[in-house]
Amino acid sequence: MKARDFIKPGEEILVLMTDGTLLEFGEDNTALTGDWPIDPNHQTDRLIIYRRNNDSTNTLYIGNRSGVIPVIEKNKYKIKLTHIQYIGETILNWNKFAETDRHSVRYSTFEIDEVHLSISASRLTMKPYSIDLREKIVNAYERGDTSVRKVAFQFGIAKSYVQKLLQLKRTQGHLEPKKQGGTIKGKLDEYGSELAAMVKSHPDATLSEYCEYFG
């Protein structure tokens, strides 16, 4: 997984690497990050934040840039973000993720002439979150000075899922997901070609939104 995997055809994205020291999250899906040596007049469609963790993984966020705030140091700015969301983790180092050999700031574009889409509706199923990620969610809450809502926002998940993990840890003593067995016919099985066209037209829609559309 690289930065280019999150870029839509024709758009430009600003990709930033941070250790999280100057990364602040709000509870209304906003964030503030700084201090960055950027051109404030260079407009980009969205922004990806690559936050280095203390372990072998790095956390990824994406959001819309809503403005900049000058800081005391010349030519550096704090960037304001809206609709910020957690998009996953990567073990790739910064150079490989951003496909650059230096700097913590990277402007990136990805253009394609044609999209070829092949999709199997029966395989559109949600995989359980990894044990590693489940533990990070629980640990983030157990460190204190936070709330279920803040942890849910930090990881881009539902509050009910955070509560589910906390209850699982209290009652079962572990965070192992339930085993998934058997073959269940999916709600979207009969809409193969229509679904493929819908995904091509609306790649940002969620699985539940596709299910709602097809009734």
Side-chain angles (χ1 to χ4, degrees):
M1 179 168 54
K2 298 181 179 180
R4 67 165 54 237
D5 296 325
F6 301 99
I7 303 175
K8 299 176 183 178
E11 78 171 346
E12 182 178 42
I13 275 188
L14 175 60
V15 190
L16 304 173
M17 175 182 65
T18 176
D19 61 3
T21 304
L22 298 177
L23 177 60
E24 305 172 19
F25 291 102
E27 292 193 358
D28 54 350
N29 284 40
T30 61
L32 183 68
T33 179
D35 302 340
W36 300 105
I38 62 170
D39 178 358
N41 298 314
H42 189 148
Q43 297 297 320
T44 56
D45 298 290
R46 292 183 296 162
L47 187 147
I48 292 176
I49 296 176
Y50 171 105
R51 188 181 72 185
R52 293 180 300 175
N53 300 326
N54 293 326
D55 55 20
S56 60
T57 63
N58 305 285
T59 306
L60 306 175
Y61 301 93
I62 193 167
N64 299 331
R65 172 177 149 172
S66 62
V68 297
I69 303 174
V71 296
I72 297 177
E73 189 173 351
K74 186 178 180 181
N75 296 327
K76 285 193 175 183
Y77 300 83
K78 292 184 180 295
I79 302 175
K80 296 189 294 183
L81 296 164
T82 60
H83 301 93
I84 189 76
Q85 59 180 314
Y86 167 84
I87 53 175
E89 296 185 346
T90 179
I91 60 174
L92 294 181
N93 62 34
W94 165 251
N95 294 342
K96 291 183 178 179
F97 176 77
E99 297 179 275
T100 182
D101 57 359
R102 56 198 178 101
H103 303 310
S104 58
V105 178
R106 163 82 161 160
Y107 289 94
S108 185
T109 59
F110 178 47
E111 296 184 2
I112 58 177
D113 297 323
E114 185 178 0
V115 176
H116 295 278
L117 177 65
S118 176
I119 185 168
S120 171
S122 61
R123 294 185 179 180
L124 270 175
T125 55
M126 295 295 291
K127 293 182 178 180
Y129 287 112
S130 67
I131 295 297
D132 182 61
L133 179 56
R134 287 169 172 239
E135 290 177 346
K136 287 182 178 180
I137 293 171
V138 172
N139 291 339
Y141 179 82
E142 292 181 341
R143 280 197 294 268
D145 192 29
T146 189
S147 66
V148 169
R149 181 179 179 182
K150 289 182 179 179
V151 172
F153 173 74
Q154 178 183 349
F155 289 93
I157 56 180
K159 290 188 295 182
S160 59
Y161 185 70
V162 177
Q163 294 167 335
K164 176 182 177 181
L165 290 182
L166 295 174
Q167 182 179 13
L168 185 64
K169 181 71 176 293
R170 286 193 298 266
T171 59
Q172 304 295 327
H174 64 78
L175 297 172
E176 293 282 348
K178 294 181 179 179
K179 293 183 179 181
Q180 296 184 346
T183 301
I184 302 176
K185 186 176 181 180
K187 183 175 183 179
L188 301 177
D189 281 358
E190 59 188 283
Y191 299 104
S193 59
E194 294 93 337
L195 177 60
M198 178 63 70
V199 173
K200 184 174 181 179
S201 301
H202 304 282
D204 293 332
T206 64
L207 179 58
S208 60
E209 288 172 333
Y210 292 135
C211 290
E212 183 178 352
Y213 177 84
F214 289 105

